[in-house]
């Protein structure tokens, strides 16, 4: 497909006349065009197209169609029908009323082109730039971030279902890519075993029988792999993505290629962050958080939260479900820095905070993290009956620590903890601890002296300062604003189907989340132009009555 970029065209006069007659007050897409003008230009997408070949549909219009599609929760076919049949969409797209539109498959092809070209950001950034021009989006203010779980567009499978469905998957793919080769290498029992969808209800109930079935399916898979990787196998078989999927899943589920194959014991399967749960979506991961278990992804949304501007989503990250939240602030800040949209204060929950995040966000990006940090896990801190780390005075230059009773440490040993972080092992003298009258409040060791394991100075001080600050009224008042991100996630789930991925794979799911963010932003900005003030938090009648009394 080739692109001959053209500047944005004005709305045809007849389309304007009919649209305003049909919708005197306008609709969302009409108001968007009138207020913000054309969001996209063909030239922004020029790198995605060749200079030769059949002319492509105008990418600026396709991008806007994708945005309107997700703003209204439409399928590809419904969106294509809206382009053909809805006057307000023709108005927003600057089309003649007689424009025939395009086939729905064009939208899928354009999404694929965006992903392959790494151009997903071109859907959100032009809107953010337009809002900056209108002083509705300002850097170095306050922003907030939170995540929610997203279900992958696949069935949840147990291990036995997984290997059975993987065999069915690869056989179906090879039946299309290399039918003659498959016909020559398939075993007689495969037709009965893999012709229908694999479901647990059809499996035997006894553990021994299920183990035997797992061995049988494993042998089928290894036989297929041996034939596919044989020197005489054609390239369309050897290099087939489905064959690679079988290899990866069999590596995770079986102990090598012994005869007969041995089913891995549960403790020996890979960790959750690596374990594949479906042959159809290799990126989806199984996770458990706050009592909720799901297979899929996480969506991280970052938005502004100042009262004098609309609350606009500035960045979206999509990760496998097993990625910890505290790994995400650095990439979020890096992306915001690239767009010159870094906040001054960043409100997050405790899932995003640790000592490294507090320090590195301030040092690298000048961002102040506002969020609760984990409490000291020691028994002294939990029970509040002993001397925790905060009771000790540390002299970083002299490399000593002084206990509450004035005794100085005798050992200062730099080390690495299990996570590879630099720590310092501090140990007091045996004679001082043995004779101490407050020993029971300091250590429960029978004979060993008190020891401390602390981070290096900058991290230690940042963590202890944060633990102190989060007990103050000022922190609680500022942090209360973070709760507003929950309403954004709720809006995404309830109005934009954020909870479920429409597509297979991390890349397409991330594109979906960007389009949802643009849709939310447009609805909020248009509402702001109508009522330029933040929505007040809901207060129930009974709460209002109690407060007034």
């Amino acid at each position: 497909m080739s692109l001959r970029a053209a500047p944005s065209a004005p709305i045809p006069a007849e389309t304007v006349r009919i649209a305003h007659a049909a919708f005197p007050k306008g609709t969302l897409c009409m108001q968007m065009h009138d207020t913000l003008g054309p969001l996209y230009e063909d030239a922004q997408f020029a790198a995605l197209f060749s200079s030769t070949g059949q002319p492509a549909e105008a990418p600026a219009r396709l991008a806007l169609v994708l945005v309107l599609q997700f703003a209204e929760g439409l399928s590809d076919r419904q969106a294509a029908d809206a382009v053909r049949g809805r006057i307000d969409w023709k108005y927003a797209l600057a089309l003649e009323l007689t424009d025939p539109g395009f086939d729905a498959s064009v939208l899928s092809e354009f999404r694929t082109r965006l992903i392959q070209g790494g151009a997903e950001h071109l859907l959100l950034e032009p809107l953010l730039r337009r809002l900056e021009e209108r002083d509705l989006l300002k850097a170095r203010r306050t922003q907030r971030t939170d995540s929610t779980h997203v279900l992958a567009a696949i069935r949840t499978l147990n291990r036995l279902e997984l290997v059975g469905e993987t065999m069915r998957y690869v056989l179906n793919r090879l039946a299309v890519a290399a039918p003659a080769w498959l016909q020559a290498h398939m075993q007689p029992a495969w037709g009965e075993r893999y012709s229908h969808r694999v479901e647990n209800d059809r499996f035997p109930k006894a553990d021994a029988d299920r183990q035997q079935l797992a061995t049988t399916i494993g042998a089928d898979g290894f036989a297929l792999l041996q034939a596919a990787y044989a020197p005489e196998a054609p390239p369309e078989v050897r290099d087939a993505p489905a064959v690679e999927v079988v290899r990866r899943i069999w590596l995770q589920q079986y102990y090598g290629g012994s005869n007969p194959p041995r089913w891995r014991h549960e403790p020996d399967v890979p960790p959750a962050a690596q374990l594949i749960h479906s042959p159809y979506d290799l990126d989806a991961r199984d996770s458990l958080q706050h009592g909720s278990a799901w297979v899929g992804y996480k969506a991280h949304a970052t938005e502004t939260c100042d009262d004098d501007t609309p609350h606009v989503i500035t960045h979206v990250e999509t990760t496998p479900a097993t990625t910890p939240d505290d790994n995400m602030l650095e990439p979020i800040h890096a992306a915001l820095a690239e767009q010159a949209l870094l906040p001054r204060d960043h409100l997050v929950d405790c899932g995003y905070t640790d000592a490294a995040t507090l320090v590195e966000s301030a040092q690298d990006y000048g961002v102040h993290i506002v969020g609760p940090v984990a409490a000291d896990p020691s028994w002294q801190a939990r029970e509040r009956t002993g001397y925790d780390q905060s009771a000790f005075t540390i002299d970083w230059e002299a490399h000593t620590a002084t206990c509450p009773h004035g005794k100085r440490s005798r050992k200062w040993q730099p080390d690495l903890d299990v996570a590879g972080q630099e720590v310092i092992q501090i140990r007091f003298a045996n004679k001082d601890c043995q004779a101490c009258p407050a020993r029971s409040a300091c250590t429960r060791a029978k004979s060993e002296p008190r020891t401390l394991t602390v981070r290096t100075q900058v991290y230690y001080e940042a963590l202890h300062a944060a633990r102190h600050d989060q007990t103050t009224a000022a922190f609680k008042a500022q942090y209360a604003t973070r709760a507003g991100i929950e309403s954004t996630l709720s809006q995404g789930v309830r109005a934009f189907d954020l909870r479920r991925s429409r597509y297979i794979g991390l890349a397409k799911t991330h594109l979906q989340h960007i389009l949802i963010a643009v849709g939310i932003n447009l609805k909020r900005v248009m509402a702001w132009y109508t009522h330029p003030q933040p929505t007040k938090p809901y207060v129930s009648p009974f709460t209002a009555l109690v407060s007034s009394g």
Side-chain angles (χ1 to χ4, degrees):
M1 303 292 287
S2 64
L3 175 65
R4 294 169 178 81
S8 298
I11 306 174
E14 184 67 4
T15 302
V16 173
R17 186 180 70 82
I18 298 298
H20 282 298
F23 304 102
K25 296 183 179 179
T27 64
L28 173 68
C29 51
M30 292 173 64
Q31 294 167 355
M32 175 198 67
H33 191 282
D34 292 342
T35 304
L36 301 176
L39 278 184
Y40 307 110
E41 299 286 344
D42 286 346
Q44 294 171 313
F45 305 93
L48 304 180
F49 295 87
S50 171
S51 58
T52 60
Q54 181 180 355
E57 291 285 343
R61 282 177 174 153
L62 292 178
L64 185 56
V65 170
L66 290 180
V67 169
L68 296 177
Q69 172 188 5
F70 277 83
E72 300 190 17
L74 305 180
S75 67
D76 285 357
R77 187 174 298 278
Q78 290 171 326
D81 289 343
V83 174
R84 279 189 291 272
R86 284 182 50 176
I87 298 171
D88 56 338
W89 277 47
K90 289 184 182 292
Y91 182 98
L93 297 167
L95 294 173
E96 296 283 356
L97 293 177
T98 55
D99 190 285
F102 48 77
D103 187 81
S105 62
V106 171
L107 294 177
S108 176
E109 189 275 336
F110 184 60
R111 285 194 300 268
T112 300
R113 194 176 291 272
L114 286 170
I115 291 170
Q116 291 177 345
E120 305 94 324
H121 62 282
L122 294 179
L123 299 173
L124 178 59
E125 289 174 9
L127 174 60
L128 299 181
R129 299 285 83 83
R130 198 65 56 86
L131 297 179
E132 283 185 304
E133 294 169 2
R134 286 159 173 73
D135 211 29
L136 296 179
L137 176 60
K138 304 172 184 178
R140 289 301 179 184
R141 304 286 289 276
T142 303
Q143 296 188 38
R144 55 195 176 195
T145 295
D146 203 1
S147 67
T148 191
H149 63 278
V150 177
L151 305 180
I154 54 174
R155 287 192 298 147
T156 300
L157 305 174
N158 63 37
R159 292 179 60 198
L160 193 53
E161 287 176 310
L162 170 63
V163 293
E165 189 65 19
T166 300
M167 278 298 297
R168 191 174 81 96
Y169 162 79
V170 69
L171 293 174
N172 278 318
R173 295 299 187 273
L174 292 177
V176 175
W181 181 92
L182 181 60
Q183 189 74 34
H185 289 83
M186 68 180 294
Q187 298 179 9
W190 289 6
E192 180 181 354
R193 198 172 293 147
Y194 305 115
S195 292
H196 303 285
R197 189 169 84 162
V198 175
E199 294 180 325
N200 193 58
D201 291 343
R202 299 177 180 175
F203 290 161
K205 306 306 178 187
D207 288 343
D209 294 337
R210 292 173 72 89
Q211 185 73 30
Q212 180 57 47
L213 178 59
T215 300
T216 301
I217 296 174
D220 292 342
F222 282 119
L224 180 68
L225 289 173
Q226 184 177 6
Y229 289 133
E232 63 273 15
E236 60 268 25
V237 173
R238 188 184 312 111
D239 300 331
V243 172
E244 173 63 13
V245 170
V246 175
R247 187 193 69 81
R248 291 177 60 185
I249 291 178
W250 256 238
L251 184 65
Q252 293 186 351
Q253 300 297 336
Y254 292 93
Y255 291 113
S258 58
N259 190 14
R262 292 189 300 134
W263 187 239
R264 283 186 181 270
H265 302 301
E266 285 288 348
D268 291 338
V269 297
Q274 301 173 14
L275 192 61
I276 297 172
H277 283 269
S278 170
Y280 303 101
D281 189 341
L282 303 184
D283 299 324
R285 294 292 181 265
D286 184 18
S287 186
L288 175 65
Q289 186 173 0
H290 304 309
S292 296
W294 78 100
V295 175
Y297 306 96
K298 279 186 187 177
H300 301 257
T302 302
E303 70 173 5
T304 61
C305 52
D306 294 301
D307 289 341
D308 60 343
T309 58
H311 297 166
V312 173
I313 297 175
T314 56
H315 184 68
V316 177
E317 285 281 353
T318 307
T319 69
T322 50
T323 302
D325 288 351
D326 59 10
N327 288 4
M328 296 312 302
L329 279 190
E330 198 286 329
I332 290 172
H333 289 159
L336 291 174
E338 188 174 344
Q339 296 302 311
L341 287 175
L342 278 170
R344 180 191 66 249
D345 297 321
H346 197 165
L347 310 180
V348 295
D349 67 21
C350 61
Y352 291 89
T353 58
D354 60 16
T357 298
L358 298 176
V359 172
E360 292 162 9
S361 295
Q363 289 180 345
D364 298 342
Y365 300 101
V367 175
H368 175 223
I369 301 299
V370 180
V373 297
D376 186 337
S378 66
W379 67 265
Q380 297 94 336
R382 291 197 313 271
E383 298 179 8
R384 299 183 181 181
T385 58
Y387 299 128
D388 60 20
Q389 288 185 4
S390 62
F392 292 76
T393 303
I394 298 180
D395 187 332
W396 298 98
E397 294 184 359
H399 289 184
T400 59
T402 303
C403 78
H405 288 262
K407 302 299 183 181
R408 300 180 69 181
S409 61
R410 292 293 180 264
K411 184 179 179 181
W412 180 284
Q413 179 65 49
D415 200 355
L416 296 176
D417 64 9
V418 292
Q421 299 172 329
E422 292 183 354
V423 296
I424 299 169
Q425 303 286 352
I426 302 173
R427 183 184 179 95
F428 286 81
N430 262 323
K431 62 181 182 64
D432 292 334
C433 289
Q434 290 289 355
C436 181
R439 177 181 174 84
S440 61
C442 196
T443 179
R444 290 176 174 170
K446 292 183 178 180
S447 59
E448 293 296 310
R450 177 65 186 267
T451 60
L452 300 175
T453 302
V454 300
R455 296 291 303 273
T456 53
Q457 182 177 1
V458 64
Y459 298 109
Y460 177 88
E461 292 178 346
L463 186 59
H464 280 265
R467 284 173 177 164
H468 173 266
D469 290 345
Q470 68 193 33
T471 64
T472 64
F475 171 90
K476 294 175 182 178
Q478 183 181 20
Y479 184 66
T481 307
R482 190 215 67 88
I485 191 65
E486 304 287 353
S487 67
T488 297
L489 297 178
S490 178
Q491 181 182 13
V493 169
R494 296 173 184 274
F496 295 86
D497 203 20
L498 175 62
R499 181 70 71 223
R500 294 181 178 274
S501 176
R502 287 191 180 194
Y503 311 115
I504 296 295
L506 180 64
K508 289 185 178 180
T509 301
H510 179 54
L511 177 61
Q512 173 184 341
H513 295 164
I514 290 177
L515 289 165
I516 289 174
V518 178
I520 291 175
N521 284 348
L522 286 175
K523 288 197 172 185
R524 290 182 171 184
V525 170
M526 293 305 102
W528 181 270
Y529 274 105
T530 305
H531 301 288
Q533 68 276 328
T535 303
K536 294 182 179 180
Y538 172 75
V539 179
S540 69
F542 178 70
T543 302
L545 180 64
V546 171
S547 300
S548 64

